[in-house]
Amino acid sequence: MSKDQSITPYARVALQLAAAAIPQRIEARIAREFLRPRRFVGNEFRGVDLPAADERMRVPTGDGWVAAWRWGEGPAVLVVHGWEDDHHGFDPLIAHLVARGQAVIAFDLPAHGDSYGRDTALPSVANAIHDVAAALGPVRAIVGHS
């Protein structure tokens, strides 16, 4: 089911019956769906003239690793994308900041974009933000979305 579709009355009744008959399986399925972001292929900002990152690395986290990029030197702006997105959502902002001489750090959340994993949750996201800032910082500011 896509983000913009609502559940049909038939599906709602079927889900209620299944939840009553096999609650553990339904609970596990709902948790899996909630914690597993979809990875989208493509970049809507392909026309943005984004310079190559000065540094690209895999930053170890408690749950694996995240893909991260750094442009410039000195205190940086850390950009943190939203759920089911990747760092490319910030390409126009990154290009603008880099053109002005500002250092920028971007990364893909766990289980998003080029990063490791299939499932993630907010504590893992928070840990990844901390780990990326520690590995590629110093960080002057954070810009987030979602």
Side-chain angles (χ1 to χ4, degrees), residues 66-85:
V66 295
W69 299 263
R70 190 184 217 296
W71 293 262
E73 295 181 22
V77 173
L78 173 64
V79 295
V80 183
H81 67 79
W83 192 259
E84 294 187 341
D85 203 351

Side-chain angles (χ1 to χ4, degrees), residues 71-124:
W71 293 262
E73 295 181 22
V77 173
L78 173 64
V79 295
V80 183
H81 67 79
W83 192 259
E84 294 187 341
D85 203 351
D86 65 18
H87 75 282
H88 288 296
F90 281 108
D91 281 358
L93 177 64
I94 294 168
H96 176 76
L97 291 172
V98 169
R100 293 181 49 130
Q102 174 64 56
V104 179
I105 299 168
F107 73 103
D108 289 338
L109 296 175
H112 290 75
D114 292 332
S115 292
Y116 173 82
R118 292 184 64 195
D119 302 322
T120 194
L122 288 178
S124 297

